[in-house]
Structures are given as structure tokens and as C-alpha cells.
Amino acid sequence: MKASLKLSALILLLLGLIVLFMSYQVGWNNEYVLSRRAIRVGTMLVVGTSVAFSSLIFQTISNNRILTPSIMGYESIFILFQTVIVFYYGDKAFKVISQEENFFYAIILMLLFSVLMYMIMFGKNKKGMYQLLLLGMVMGTLFQTMSQFLQVMIDPNEFSIIQNFMFVSFSKMNTSLLGIAAITLIGTIVYSSFYFRYLDVIALGKEHAINLGVNYDQMIKRFMLIISLLVSVSTALVGPITFLGILVSNLTYELFKTRKHRLMLWICALISCSCLLLGQFLVEHVLQFSTTVSIVINFIGGAYFMYLLWITRKKIS
């Protein structure tokens, strides 16, 4: 099948899923239900696009198809931040700090973390990308351990507040927060679109990119900040979805053989949004809210991740 036909099929699939999700067992005359579903659809589109762009960009600069930005500890630092807030303020935490303020604080914290990581690894004693990934794994484990330590000390009733951030939920959404996240996402994509062409060169490897005139360290720094913004948008909005990025990015590689990132990023976003819509539809109308969409996606994505590891090992041997 030609790439143009596949792309058209993906667009039609996404539009069909949106119509199905909006109209299933409701019709078009119930304004209240439609408005609530529209918020969830908008949230899934924002989150799906954020995860797709951040995962594909991260895999390109790390030159690894089975890694996602979660390895850098972004999601762990977000959970730690929420845990510290609840630990300090108790059950009044989000009366003292509004959801909008919490969103901005989370974004700023992840950006600062990204800048700090870059300064450590690409300062005077320049390190490589793999050292950066290793440091990210260590810091992520540290943040996760600190979160667990504080969670043990928190009252069980207050711990339930933190649990709302640990599992993805599209049921309880703040409309103003969605608007802020959408504006942040659009601004980030518009800014990063000026540098998409550099990803095609970076994908060839560091040495080739430098030989072709790319300021590699500067581009990596720029893309790390872009990734941290995109991850913070999706994580602060609904919570961490660990394996969605691996699933949708590798489906993009398999379905489309092009390596033009200007096209691949949008294809990946279409697949990501479709997966979230389909998953949420199954959770609501088939599984009757007996589980969450993150568990469904992480189960499928985790199985696919193991398959990728098996395929990679088979090729090496």
C-alpha cells in the first residue's frame, strides 16, 4: 500500500474513532454529555500528540528505537513533586496550590532538570549521549525511591491524592488546564518545526551530523528542552503513560518506511491519538471502567517492548 493511502487511512481512522467516541449511546442532542466527551477527546489529542512527538524525537537523538523520555526520569520527578506537595500540605495541598499553578511548576521543574542534565553531561568535560541516558536512569531511580519513602510516611487518605497522578485518567479534567496545555503544545510544535530538518541529519549519527555542518551539541540541547516541555504537558495533564511512546513510534517505523521527520512526527501523532481514543472507548464501554486506559496501553506496549527486545536479540545472534 502506498504511503499516501496509508496516511489517508490513518486520518479516516482517527476521525471515525472521534465520531464513535462522541456519539456512542448518546446521539447528538445531549449537550452535557457531548461537552464532557469533547473535553476528553481534546485531552487525548493533546496527550497523544505530546507523547508521539517527544518519543520520536528522543529516539532519533538517542539513536535507539526502544527508549522513551521516561528513561530520563521526567515522570519520576513529576511524581516526586506531587508527593512533596501532599507531604507538606496534606489533604489541603491543591487548595493551597491550584491545578494551573501545579501545571506550571511541574513544567518549570522538568525544564530545570533538563538544563541541569545537559550542563552536567555537555559542560567542560563533554560526555556522550549514552552517559546522559545512564545518568537519567540513575536520577529516575533516585526520584522514584524518594517518592516511595515519602509515600510510606503519608496518611493513607492523603496517599489517594497522589494515586490520582500515578495513573492516567481522562475522566476528571480541568477545562482551563486543557486550554493551557494545548497552547503550550502548539507553541512547542511551532518552535520545534523550524528544526525538524536537523533530525533527519542527526538520525545518521553524531559524526555524520557534525561532518554535514550541524552544531550537534546545540541541537541536542534544544531538542532536550523541547522533549521536556512535551513530556511535562502530557504527564502534568493526565499522568505517566510509560509504554505508549514505544508502541506508537515503532508502529510508525513499521508502517511507513520514510525517514523524513517532518512527516513521521505527524504520522506518529495520528497513531498515538487513535490508540488513546480506542483504548478509552474500550475502558468505558467494553470493560465498564474496571481498569484504566494506562493499564491497557502499558500491557500492550509492554508486550510489544518484549517483542522488540526479542527481535533485536535475534538479529544480533
Side-chain angles (χ1 to χ4, degrees):
M1 187 184 294
K2 293 182 178 180
S4 58
L5 291 178
K6 292 180 182 179
L7 182 58
S8 300
L10 276 178
I11 295 172
L12 290 175
L13 174 64
L14 179 60
L15 293 175
L17 287 171
I18 292 174
V19 172
L20 176 64
F21 187 86
M22 291 288 293
S23 61
Y24 187 76
Q25 293 183 344
V26 173
W28 296 99
N29 56 352
N30 193 325
E31 294 184 2
Y32 174 76
V33 175
L34 288 176
S35 64
R36 300 300 300 174
R37 290 188 178 182
I39 293 173
R40 293 207 295 276
V41 169
T43 304
M44 285 183 275
L45 294 178
V46 169
V47 172
T49 304
S50 300
V51 170
F53 272 67
S54 61
S55 299
L56 203 59
I57 292 173
F58 187 79
Q59 289 181 358
T60 298
I61 66 176
S62 63
N63 196 24
N64 194 309
R65 289 177 53 175
I66 60 175
L67 296 181
T68 61
S70 60
I71 197 174
M72 295 297 296
Y74 290 118
E75 295 173 353
S76 299
I77 198 172
F78 172 76
I79 297 298
L80 175 61
F81 177 58
Q82 306 306 319
T83 305
V84 170
I85 292 175
V86 175
F87 180 80
Y88 187 77
Y89 291 108
D91 56 0
K92 298 179 181 178
F94 297 102
K95 294 180 181 178
V96 178
I97 300 175
S98 66
Q99 286 188 335
E100 290 79 9
E101 291 175 333
N102 183 39
F103 179 78
F104 281 117
Y105 291 153
I107 289 179
I108 293 171
L109 190 60
M110 291 184 189
L111 283 174
L112 291 175
F113 174 68
S114 184
V115 171
L116 177 62
M117 293 282 285
Y118 182 86
M119 290 175 62
I120 292 174
M121 300 309 298
F122 295 95
K124 293 181 179 179
N125 300 320
K126 292 186 178 181
K127 307 292 184 181
M129 176 57 67
Y130 289 106
Q131 285 88 346
L132 179 63
L133 297 177
L134 180 60
L135 179 61
M137 290 179 62
V138 172
M139 296 300 291
T141 303
L142 175 63
F143 295 147
Q144 188 176 12
T145 304
M146 293 171 64
S147 299
Q148 292 172 350
F149 174 74
L150 293 176
Q151 288 165 11
V152 171
M153 301 175 63
I154 290 175
D155 183 89
N157 295 322
E158 297 173 354
F159 177 70
S160 63
I161 300 174
I162 302 173
Q163 281 186 312
N164 293 330
F165 294 97
M166 296 172 65
F167 299 100
V168 174
S169 175
F170 294 99
S171 301
K172 301 177 182 179
M173 285 308 307
N174 186 313
T175 307
S176 61
L177 193 61
L178 175 59
I180 295 170
I183 293 171
T184 305
L185 172 64
I186 293 171
T188 305
I189 291 177
V190 170
Y191 171 76
S192 59
S193 64
F194 295 103
Y195 305 102
F196 286 163
R197 64 184 183 274
Y198 292 105
L199 289 171
D200 299 339
V201 183
I202 292 174
L204 299 175
K206 180 178 180 180
E207 291 76 13
H208 291 294
I210 294 174
N211 290 335
L212 290 170
V214 174
N215 188 340
Y216 184 81
D217 289 349
Q218 185 67 27
M219 282 295 114
I220 293 298
K221 177 182 178 181
R222 189 164 284 146
F223 283 121
M224 287 294 291
L225 291 176
I226 290 170
I227 289 169
S228 62
L229 266 174
L230 293 170
V231 171
S232 61
V233 166
S234 61
T235 306
L237 197 58
V238 296
I241 311 180
T242 304
F243 287 105
L244 178 62
I246 295 175
L247 178 63
V248 299
S249 59
N250 282 278
L251 284 175
T252 303
Y253 298 137
E254 293 298 327
L255 293 174
F256 295 84
K257 300 306 179 183
T258 179
R259 289 298 177 262
K260 294 181 179 179
H261 285 78
R262 191 176 295 275
L263 179 61
M264 287 176 62
L265 289 165
W266 289 109
I267 292 171
C268 191
L270 288 172
I271 296 174
S272 180
C273 294
S274 299
C275 288
L276 284 178
L277 282 163
L278 180 60
Q280 186 66 21
F281 179 82
L282 293 175
V283 167
E284 292 187 14
H285 301 292
V286 178
L287 301 176
Q288 301 297 322
F289 290 100
S290 60
T291 185
T292 63
V293 67
S294 61
I295 293 176
V296 174
I297 291 177
N298 286 340
F299 174 76
I300 298 173
Y304 190 61
F305 175 73
M306 297 301 294
Y307 168 76
L308 290 174
L309 290 178
W310 179 75
I311 288 296
T312 304
R313 181 181 178 183
K314 189 175 180 182
K315 288 180 179 179
I316 293 174
S317 60

